[in-house]
């Protein structure tokens, strides 16, 4: 049996052994809620899930058929473990903590939480307002999250004009410009009573919690008083603040009768991707929204709940109410679920047992892949979030709140469709650019392009690099680097001849795919050198093009043929843009390789200049210390493990230090 087949047999044996162990563990699973951790053959946790009944949920992965994305997860599983919890809420929180600890590759990961800025009132003797993305347990007050930094900064800018809190990070020794503008009380030189801070903090708290109408009424009253007292400049300042408040709060799309702060969630799934849309309702008005798009591999609703749980796990600024979609909203797979409850706004999970069980049965009957009946569904998910956060969590079935949910769902579906349209449009444009490029140079098709670039500094450390583009897209696994072996000095033509010879000798020898077009960096000389090797030495007749640059080192034109002739491409065309990308990519790849080689060469030359250091000892030194910097900072004793005496060690250290000085 040859080596390849023996390794394959061993891999299959290991897989069979792992599946046998899994079958034994499945028989021991309990009928209890909890979390399960799926592992791959290296023992790495690749997926964390939660379940109302562990036995049913975990078994479902290893029985029946699954769709493509779930099958990818199942194929990688070689072991699992589980943790029993006392309730669905504990399972939800534990799953969130395990995901944030292990970052499993198949889980929904809330990587974009950095996009949520907050406004913070610091907990200091002289408090400040600041916009932050870090949530600390520092007894400060946080308000948000805001969908983007601009919204948070605009709100803070308005508050800075209205409330003269300290602006500086470090207390100065004298008053600053903010004091003269009336935007700071100057605690650096004046005694500011704590009651003044408490009043301002209370008003800011009220404003950021949605009480801007009361603040506006108070500003209007002060404006009228200032006008009656003939303080027209002060009246104008107050009027401008009122206008700014109106401008900031006018971005409303839905208005509810009450003035409650809500976060409204909706989600949509398609082609293994999920989009979660959050609508921020403040004072009964929708002021902003945020969308996150990511791939998912587990049960759709379960992964959606994972996203919501992670979102609130480090969020100190909670709304008064959270609205979640039911399991039927994102698609038509579960139409029965929408009729499971008669309650318009009651938190699912707090209704009658019959309603809950009928909802669960309807949901369970609709699953056609990994069974969702044992996951946390809308019933238990809303109830668990309600219990954990202490925030009223609803799954509306009708009325205005249901319309708000559907608006979030519709926005999520539109965002997901837009993503796929952009991908398809980009693929079409890229493929079309490659096809049009082929037609421009007289070829039926140009699917595979291989491009070369040389790099050296006055002939030192000459290298070359090749990149591959297939259908207009980079195929990075096929990129290649070349150390130039036979060329002495800065001879670009001979370098091109050597690299072309080495590349396409291997293509012929190993029967690798041949390109439809070869592109070299340069004009007639480089093209002729490449064609000479291909046709006269290797018997290959592959079109060769050269990319000529202008005085500013930008792609100017393509030359093709023997003798080379320019191909006229409009500079705003997709074909010209494709050529620019190819030239930039191969140049980047060659330069990075050249820098790497030059750095190694510089290190080697600096050590070689020291008497008593040969190639073998130089390699041992670099392996031991890792860099010249650490070698220079080392003591004589650090050299002894390498059998280097104190005298030579001192010479090495002194030579490196003298060179730097």
């Amino acid at each position: 049996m040859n080596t390849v087949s023996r390794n394959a047999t061993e891999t299959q044996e290991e897989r069979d052994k792992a599946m046998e162990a899994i079958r034994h563990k499945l028989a021991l699973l309990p009928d209890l809620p909890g979390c399960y951790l799926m592992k791959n053959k290296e023992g790495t946790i690749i997926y964390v899930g939660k379940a109302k009944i562990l036995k049913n949920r975990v078994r479902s992965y290893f029985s029946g058929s699954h769709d493509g994305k779930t099958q990818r997860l199942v194929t990688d599983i070689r072991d699992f473990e589980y943790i029993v919890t006392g309730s669905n809420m504990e399972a939800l929180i534990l799953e969130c903590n395990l995901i944030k600890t292990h970052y499993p590759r198949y889980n929904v990961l809330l990587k974009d939480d950095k996009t949520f800025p907050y406004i913070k009132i610091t907990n200091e003797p002289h408090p400040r307002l600041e916009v932050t993305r870090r949530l600390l347990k520092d007894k400060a007050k946080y308000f948000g999250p805001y969908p983007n930094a601009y919204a948070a900064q605009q709100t803070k800018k308005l508050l800075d004009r209205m409330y003269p809190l300290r602006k500086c990070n470090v207390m100065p020794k004298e008053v600053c410009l903010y004091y003269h503008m009336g935007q700071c009380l100057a605690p650096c030189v004046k005694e500011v009573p704590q009651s003044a801070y408490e009043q301002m903090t209370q008003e800011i708290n009220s404003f950021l919690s949605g009480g801007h109408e009361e603040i506006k009424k108070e500003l209007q009253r002060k404006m009228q008083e200032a006008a009656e007292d003939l303080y027209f400049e002060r009246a104008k300042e107050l009027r401008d603040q009122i206008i700014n408040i109106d401008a900031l709060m006018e971005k409303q799309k839905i208005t509810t009768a009450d003035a409650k702060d809500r976060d409204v969630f909706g989600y949509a799934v398609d082609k293994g991707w999920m989009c979660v849309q959050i609508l921020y309702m403040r004072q009964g008005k929708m002021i902003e929204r945020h969308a996150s798009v990511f791939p998912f591999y587990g049960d759709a609703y379960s992964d959606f709940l994972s996203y919501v749980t992670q979102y609130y796990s480090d969020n100190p600024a909670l709304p008064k109410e959270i609205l979640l979609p039911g399991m039927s909203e994102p698609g038509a797979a579960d139409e029965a679920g929408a009729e499971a409850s008669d309650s318009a706004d009651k938190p699912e999970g707090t209704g009658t047992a019959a309603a809950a069980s009928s909802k669960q049965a309807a949901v369970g009957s609709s699953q056609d892949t990994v069974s969702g009946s044992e996951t946390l569904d809308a019933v238990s998910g809303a109830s668990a979030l309600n219990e954990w956060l202490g925030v009223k969590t609803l799954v509306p079935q009708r009325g205005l709140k249901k319309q708000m949910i559907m608006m979030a769902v519709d926005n999520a579906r539109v965002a997901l469709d837009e993503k796929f349209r952009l991908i398809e449009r980009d693929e079409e444009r890229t493929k079309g650019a490659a096809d049009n490029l082929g037609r421009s140079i007289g070829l039926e098709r140009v699917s595979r392009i291989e491009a070369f670039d040389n790099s050296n500094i006055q002939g030192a450390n000459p290298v070359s690099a090749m990149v591959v583009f297939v259908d207009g897209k980079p195929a990075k696994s096929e990129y290649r680097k070349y150390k130039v072996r036979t060329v002495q000095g800065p001879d670009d033509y001979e370098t091109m001849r050597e690299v072309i010879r080495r590349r396409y000798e291997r293509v012929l020898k190993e029967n690798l795919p041949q390109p439809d077009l070869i592109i070299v960096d340069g004009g007639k000389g480089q093209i002729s050198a490449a064609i000479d090797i291909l046709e006269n030495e290797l018997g290959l007749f592959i079109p060769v093009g050269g990319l000529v640059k202008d005085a500013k080192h930008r792609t100017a034109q393509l030359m093709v043929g023997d003798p080379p002739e320019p191909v006229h491409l409009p500079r705003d065309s997709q074909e010209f843009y494709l050529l620019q990308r190819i030239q930039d990519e191969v140049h980047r790849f060659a330069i990075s390789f050249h820098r790497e080689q030059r750095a190694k060469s510089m290190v080697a030359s600096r050590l070689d200049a020291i008497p008593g250091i040969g190639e073998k000892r130089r390699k041992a030194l670099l392996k031991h210390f890792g860099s010249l910097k650490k070698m220079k900072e080392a003591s004589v004793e650090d050299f002894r493990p390498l059998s280097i005496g104190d005298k030579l060690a001192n010479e090495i250290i002194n030579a490196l230090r003298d060179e730097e000085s």
Side-chain angles (χ1 to χ4, degrees):
M1 184 183 295
N2 60 39
T3 304
V4 175
S5 60
R6 184 169 65 250
N7 289 339
T9 304
E10 288 172 354
T11 304
Q12 186 61 46
E13 288 174 358
E14 290 173 0
R15 187 180 297 114
D16 293 342
K17 187 176 179 180
M19 295 309 298
E20 182 66 24
I22 285 175
R23 280 191 286 271
H24 288 304
K25 293 178 74 170
L26 289 174
L28 304 176
L29 284 164
D31 296 326
L32 295 170
C35 289
Y36 52 91
L37 300 89
M38 300 299 191
K39 299 181 178 181
N40 63 9
K41 61 183 179 181
E42 285 83 23
T44 304
I45 296 171
I46 57 174
Y47 187 74
V48 174
K50 56 190 173 297
K52 290 191 293 185
I53 301 177
L54 281 167
K55 180 171 69 176
N56 296 350
R57 178 61 173 155
V58 178
R59 281 180 174 178
S60 68
Y61 284 92
F62 304 98
S63 61
S65 60
H66 310 296
D67 60 17
K69 59 185 178 56
T70 307
Q71 187 60 43
R72 265 182 284 167
L73 163 63
V74 174
T75 303
D76 283 351
I77 298 173
R78 292 294 177 271
D79 192 13
F80 71 88
E81 59 181 87
Y82 58 90
I83 303 171
V84 174
T85 60
S87 66
N88 292 333
M89 181 199 74
E90 290 179 9
L92 196 71
I93 300 169
L94 177 60
E95 182 202 38
C96 176
N97 292 333
L98 290 171
I99 289 173
K100 291 165 70 176
T101 301
H102 299 288
Y103 293 100
R105 61 173 296 193
Y106 287 109
N107 273 100
V108 168
L109 302 175
L110 189 59
K111 295 179 180 178
D112 59 349
D113 54 349
K114 65 179 181 296
T115 62
F116 298 124
Y118 294 79
I119 290 180
K120 172 183 178 180
I121 303 178
T122 61
N123 180 34
E124 299 175 278
H126 304 289
R128 294 178 297 117
L129 269 178
E130 61 181 41
V131 174
T132 181
R133 299 180 189 272
R134 298 178 62 201
L135 304 175
L136 307 173
K137 295 181 180 178
D138 54 1
K139 297 184 180 179
K141 293 183 178 179
Y142 293 86
F143 300 90
Y146 289 83
N148 54 66
Y150 178 76
Q153 292 289 357
Q154 287 296 103
T155 305
K156 178 183 177 294
K157 188 176 178 181
L158 172 61
L159 293 171
D160 283 338
R161 294 173 182 169
M162 295 168 58
Y163 301 103
L165 291 177
R166 177 166 66 97
K167 303 294 187 295
C168 50
N169 293 326
V170 179
M171 199 81 75
K173 295 181 180 179
E174 57 185 23
V175 296
C176 61
L177 182 61
Y178 285 112
Y179 170 74
H180 297 294
M181 294 168 61
Q183 294 185 23
C184 181
L185 294 175
C188 52
V189 297
K190 294 185 177 183
E191 190 70 31
V192 181
Q194 196 63 30
S195 58
Y197 284 135
E198 289 175 358
Q199 182 181 351
M200 281 191 288
T201 301
Q202 187 175 357
E203 289 186 13
I204 293 171
N205 194 335
S206 174
F207 182 92
L208 294 176
S209 298
H212 56 278
E213 289 295 338
E214 294 299 320
I215 302 295
K216 199 167 82 170
K217 288 178 183 177
E218 179 64 18
L219 290 174
Q220 287 171 338
R221 184 186 64 78
K222 290 180 180 179
M223 181 182 68
Q224 290 172 356
E225 288 180 357
E228 289 170 1
D229 294 338
L230 304 181
Y231 294 134
F232 296 116
E233 288 188 5
R234 176 61 179 160
K236 180 180 180 298
E237 290 177 4
L238 293 166
R239 185 202 66 184
D240 291 342
Q241 290 179 7
I242 294 169
I243 292 171
N244 288 331
I245 291 175
D246 289 336
L248 190 68
M249 303 306 295
E250 73 178 355
K251 293 182 179 179
Q252 52 176 301
K253 297 179 178 67
I254 289 184
T255 303
T256 55
D258 58 9
K260 192 174 287 187
D261 293 353
R262 296 182 176 88
D263 287 349
V264 183
F265 285 84
Y267 77 101
V269 295
D270 190 16
K271 300 181 181 71
W273 286 74
M274 178 182 294
C275 175
V276 177
Q277 188 90 204
I278 311 171
L279 307 181
Y280 300 102
M281 308 285 295
R282 298 297 180 262
Q283 278 301 95
K285 299 171 183 175
M286 196 195 100
I287 58 170
E288 281 290 357
R289 62 178 182 149
H290 175 80
S292 295
V293 182
F294 44 82
F296 76 103
Y297 297 89
D299 174 78
Y301 200 83
S302 181
D303 281 0
F304 164 69
L305 283 179
S306 294
Y307 178 95
V308 177
T309 309
Q310 291 179 65
Y311 176 78
Y312 286 116
S313 63
D314 292 322
N315 188 343
L318 298 173
K320 301 297 183 185
E321 191 173 276
I322 298 170
L323 304 184
L324 299 178
M327 297 181 72
S328 62
E329 269 80 354
D334 180 19
E335 293 297 328
E339 303 172 2
S341 174
D342 296 325
S343 170
D345 293 327
K346 183 164 51 177
E348 295 205 23
T350 59
T352 63
S357 62
S358 65
K359 170 78 175 174
Q360 185 174 328
V363 170
S365 64
S366 69
Q367 304 298 323
D368 58 355
T369 57
V370 176
S371 172
S373 60
E374 305 307 337
T375 66
L376 293 187
D377 55 16
V379 176
S380 47
S383 179
L385 284 169
N386 199 341
E387 184 181 355
W388 173 44
L389 298 173
V391 174
K392 191 175 182 182
T393 306
L394 309 174
V395 184
Q397 300 299 316
R398 66 172 71 88
L400 181 58
K401 291 180 182 178
K402 175 72 171 182
Q403 292 177 28
M404 291 155 60
I405 289 286
M406 293 311 299
M407 180 179 178
V409 169
D410 290 342
N411 276 278
R413 188 178 293 114
V414 167
L416 203 55
D417 290 343
E418 184 179 84
K419 174 184 175 63
F420 290 127
R421 285 201 305 271
L422 286 173
I423 291 174
E424 290 166 3
R425 185 166 178 260
D426 185 61
E427 288 180 351
E428 288 173 3
R429 291 172 67 180
T430 304
K431 180 71 167 60
D435 291 341
N436 290 338
L437 179 62
R439 284 191 284 270
S440 299
I441 59 179
L443 299 175
E444 291 185 8
R445 62 190 297 271
V446 174
S447 175
R448 182 184 181 90
I449 299 173
E450 296 184 358
F452 295 82
D453 190 17
N454 304 326
S455 183
N456 67 79
I457 295 179
Q458 295 181 342
N461 304 112
V463 298
S464 189
M466 180 195 76
V467 301
V468 179
F469 275 62
V470 178
D471 291 333
K473 295 181 179 179
K476 296 195 174 183
S477 62
E478 298 192 55
Y479 286 14
R480 294 293 180 267
K481 304 171 182 175
Y482 298 92
K483 290 182 183 178
V484 178
R485 300 169 181 167
T486 62
V487 181
Q488 299 296 323
D491 191 333
D492 207 33
Y493 299 154
E494 285 303 314
T495 299
M496 185 62 66
R497 293 168 69 88
E498 178 189 326
V499 173
I500 292 291
R501 182 186 295 112
R502 287 167 58 185
R503 167 61 183 170
Y504 295 103
E505 278 181 347
R506 169 165 285 191
V507 167
L508 291 172
K509 183 178 179 181
E510 299 181 9
N511 199 26
L512 300 175
Q514 295 184 17
D516 301 307
L517 176 65
I518 296 171
I519 291 180
V520 297
D521 187 60
K524 296 181 179 180
Q526 286 86 350
I527 295 173
S528 298
I531 291 176
D532 179 42
I533 297 298
L534 289 168
E535 296 184 0
N536 298 328
E537 289 192 19
L538 304 176
L540 293 174
F541 295 87
I542 302 172
V544 178
L547 288 175
V548 182
K549 295 177 181 176
D550 60 17
K552 295 184 178 180
H553 210 67
R554 298 175 302 190
T555 306
Q557 66 177 359
L558 172 69
M559 300 187 74
V560 176
D562 189 15
E565 297 290 339
V567 178
H568 299 288
L569 298 172
R571 281 191 170 256
D572 59 350
S573 67
Q574 287 296 315
E575 303 87 86
F576 194 83
Y577 176 59
L578 174 61
L579 291 174
Q580 284 181 315
R581 285 171 53 210
I582 292 173
Q583 188 166 43
D584 290 345
E585 178 69 355
V586 70
H587 184 66
R588 176 200 65 80
F589 193 50
I591 285 291
S592 62
F593 183 45
H594 182 254
R595 284 174 180 160
E596 177 187 319
Q597 296 302 310
R598 191 170 74 244
K600 290 180 180 178
S601 176
M602 289 170 67
V603 169
S605 62
R606 289 168 72 178
L607 289 175
D608 287 342
I610 302 172
I613 302 294
E615 183 179 354
K616 186 176 180 181
R617 188 166 271 173
R618 183 188 74 221
K619 289 181 179 178
L621 283 167
L622 289 173
K623 184 177 180 181
H624 181 72
F625 290 101
S627 69
L628 289 180
K629 184 175 182 292
K630 292 182 179 179
M631 201 181 304
K632 181 181 62 181
E633 295 170 351
S635 64
V636 171
E637 290 78 11
D638 294 329
F639 289 82
R640 289 173 183 166
L642 299 174
S643 301
I644 293 179
D646 293 356
K647 182 180 178 182
L648 180 56
N650 271 315
E651 289 178 3
I652 295 171
I653 295 170
N654 292 334
L656 293 176
R657 290 176 180 172
D658 289 345
E659 184 178 286
E660 182 181 16
S661 62

